Amino acid sequence: MLCLRRKFKFLLIIISLTLFLVLRLCNTGSQSDSDHQTHLSRVNFKPVPTLPPLVTTFDTTQKNGLQKKPVDAEKDSWETYFTDLLQDFEQKFKRITPGPAADELAGKKSSELKKEMVVKIEVPAPVAVKPEQKVDKSTSWLFNDPNVIVYSTVTEDVMPDYFDPDSDQISQFERYHEETAAIITERLKTAEAGCVRVRQYIKDEQNFIFYFPEFNIGWCPVFKAASTNWKQFFCKIYRPEVYEEWRLKTDNDPYCPLGELLDFSIRKQQLALKEYMKNHKSENNSEKIKELMSKIDNAVKFMTVRHPYERLVSMYTNKFENCISKMFSNEDGAMTKIFKKYREVGSQLSDEEKDVLIEEARIECRKPVEMRKINKNNPYMNPMGATFREVMLFIIDNYKHGVWPDFHWIQVTKSCDICSKDYAVIEKFETLERDHYYLLKTIGEEARYPGIAGLHSNPSLSGRRDPRELVDHYFSQIDKYILWDLYTLYKDDFTVFGYKPHYRLKKNPYAH
């Protein structure tokens, strides 16, 4: 019995010592954690909390520099939280006070820390969120003014759904030739109906058609509507030496000035014949006149048209913006006239001072962009080149004062005499490649299509900037009065070629 009591006492002692050691160890660990917390709190960084076995909702708001959003158990995960925390850690680690804890952390790479911290759980695939679309405040008046009608669709002429730009073009154009013919016929009917409404405003006073006898074709060039395609096409055939010269000058990007083709201009031939008749009055020249006009009357006449507003924007970005072209920056060119009349510079400058500053800007305009020296105190160089608003005012005022417009912005109904000439094909910029092939097939020259294809590809198919976005951007820089005047100027083109304006005012702003 005594032996059993001694054994029981010994067992109690052993259990007591064990419990004492366990409690001692727990207190030591708790104190160690407390010291660790105290140290890191002084260095503006809170350590990662101990991970529970499952995702829970908790508050991770930090009071010492780390501002994290609480984790939502349904929408987030520990992996998301720690990825975010690690980025913050990498930014703030260099500010941690040196010490044992810092040395321990510094010895571990971010990737290792992530492996230790992330709990492997099944997380739903992240849902792609569409980035918030930035609102262009500059266009707000166009879309918020109750007096402005905004058209989402400005033309029905687009490449049809069946057209695949990655497949062989010619085979598709051949397959759908009849459909294309029906579309071209519909365009001609629209033009005919439009001419009934606008014919009284259009005078048959100009003839800018070029006649090429080899094809028996008559072409009316419309600048900023793929005219470069046809200039290069005809130049390569009729002026091969000029084409080659320009190809070498422009690093295999041939450019053929229209002046090189003036011998084929009916207008020039008319003027030459009239001059000849002055000096040869005794001759019977009536037959020569009839012969000349019969050429164009019997030819297959065509033109390429483009939405009037998109054509204006293309003209501006190609010729005026940032003085990208030297064409209008000569001493008495359009740029100089625009600066003198429309650039707002204040009244403190005399006319002589303005002339000096304009000349300085004009000289820099004609230099390559990388070689320009911008004088920040010169108002004609800030911005460099005429603004879209200034150019539109220049165009409008010229029309109002009867100044014959430049070919880059003249109305097509005015320059090509659509209502008096019997055109066979109206190409559209929106369906350029298909229309090119149709025209060449019409005159039996479809084999020449590779010689013109791709010279000026359709923006909607080539990945370039969206024409609608460009129009929105630049037209936001004008006011309602300019918008009204531009629509009035190009109303005949809208009517005859079946386009709608992107925006139209309900009421005449000048009437108020």
Side-chain angles (χ1 to χ4, degrees), residues 7-171:
K7 289 182 179 179
F8 182 72
K9 287 182 179 179
F10 180 76
L11 182 61
L12 288 175
I13 293 171
I14 296 296
I15 292 173
S16 299
L17 288 173
T18 303
L19 291 173
F20 174 78
L21 290 174
V22 170
L23 292 173
R24 182 73 175 177
L25 288 173
C26 290
N27 290 334
T28 303
S30 176
Q31 180 65 32
S32 176
D33 287 344
S34 177
D35 293 342
H36 185 60
Q37 296 275 10
T38 303
H39 173 72
L40 289 183
S41 66
R42 293 199 304 267
V43 297
N44 200 26
F45 182 84
K46 185 174 180 180
V48 177
T50 305
L51 297 180
L54 297 174
V55 175
T56 59
T57 302
F58 64 99
D59 184 6
T60 61
T61 302
Q62 309 294 315
K63 297 180 180 180
N64 297 314
L66 298 180
Q67 300 297 325
K68 300 298 171 189
K69 296 181 179 179
V71 175
D72 189 319
E74 296 180 357
K75 299 180 180 178
D76 216 327
S77 68
W78 279 99
E79 185 170 2
T80 303
Y81 166 68
F82 283 119
T83 300
D84 210 18
L85 189 63
L86 279 172
Q87 293 176 355
D88 215 332
F89 165 74
E90 290 170 351
Q91 294 176 3
K92 295 179 180 293
F93 181 76
K94 60 183 179 182
R95 294 186 294 172
I96 295 179
T97 305
D103 294 338
E104 180 182 355
L105 287 173
K108 296 184 178 182
K109 297 181 181 179
S110 297
S111 58
E112 295 173 349
L113 286 172
K114 184 177 179 181
K115 289 179 181 179
E116 293 178 11
M117 290 188 289
V118 175
V119 177
K120 294 183 179 180
I121 58 175
E122 292 295 328
V123 180
V127 179
V129 179
K130 185 178 180 180
E132 183 179 354
Q133 187 174 3
K134 294 183 178 180
V135 178
D136 187 355
K137 296 181 179 179
S138 63
T139 64
S140 60
W141 84 269
L142 284 172
F143 300 101
N144 295 331
D145 191 327
N147 191 35
V148 178
I149 300 174
V150 180
Y151 293 97
S152 58
T153 302
V154 295
T155 178
E156 300 299 331
D157 291 280
V158 295
M159 275 296 190
D161 294 336
Y162 60 70
F163 181 77
D164 181 6
D166 297 325
S167 300
D168 179 60
Q169 287 185 330
I170 295 178
S171 62

Side-chain angles (χ1 to χ4, degrees), residues 190-191 193-195 197-198 487 490-499:
T190 300
C195 283
R197 298 167 58 185
V198 306
Y487 177 70
Y490 293 95
K491 187 176 181 179
D492 290 349
D493 282 7
F494 283 117
T495 302
V496 171
F497 301 115
Y499 288 112

Side-chain angles (χ1 to χ4, degrees), residues 423-492:
Y423 280 83
V425 176
I426 297 177
E427 293 188 330
K428 284 201 170 182
F429 193 81
E430 292 78 11
T431 53
L432 200 59
E433 294 90 347
R434 182 191 66 184
D435 296 351
H436 280 344
Y437 186 83
Y438 175 82
L439 174 63
L440 291 174
K441 186 174 178 64
T442 299
I443 62 175
E445 295 287 346
E446 62 268 32
R448 294 183 182 269
Y449 176 75
I452 194 171
L455 291 178
H456 197 108
S457 58
N458 190 334
S460 64
L461 300 178
S462 63
R464 284 188 255 170
R465 293 184 294 180
D466 181 9
R468 179 58 188 250
E469 292 180 1
L470 285 172
V471 173
D472 286 347
H473 173 71
Y474 288 102
F475 269 67
S476 69
Q477 301 170 23
I478 64 177
D479 56 35
K480 58 185 177 181
Y481 299 98
I482 299 175
L483 180 61
W484 178 269
D485 288 336
L486 288 177
Y487 177 70
T488 303
L489 285 177
Y490 293 95
K491 187 176 181 179
D492 290 349

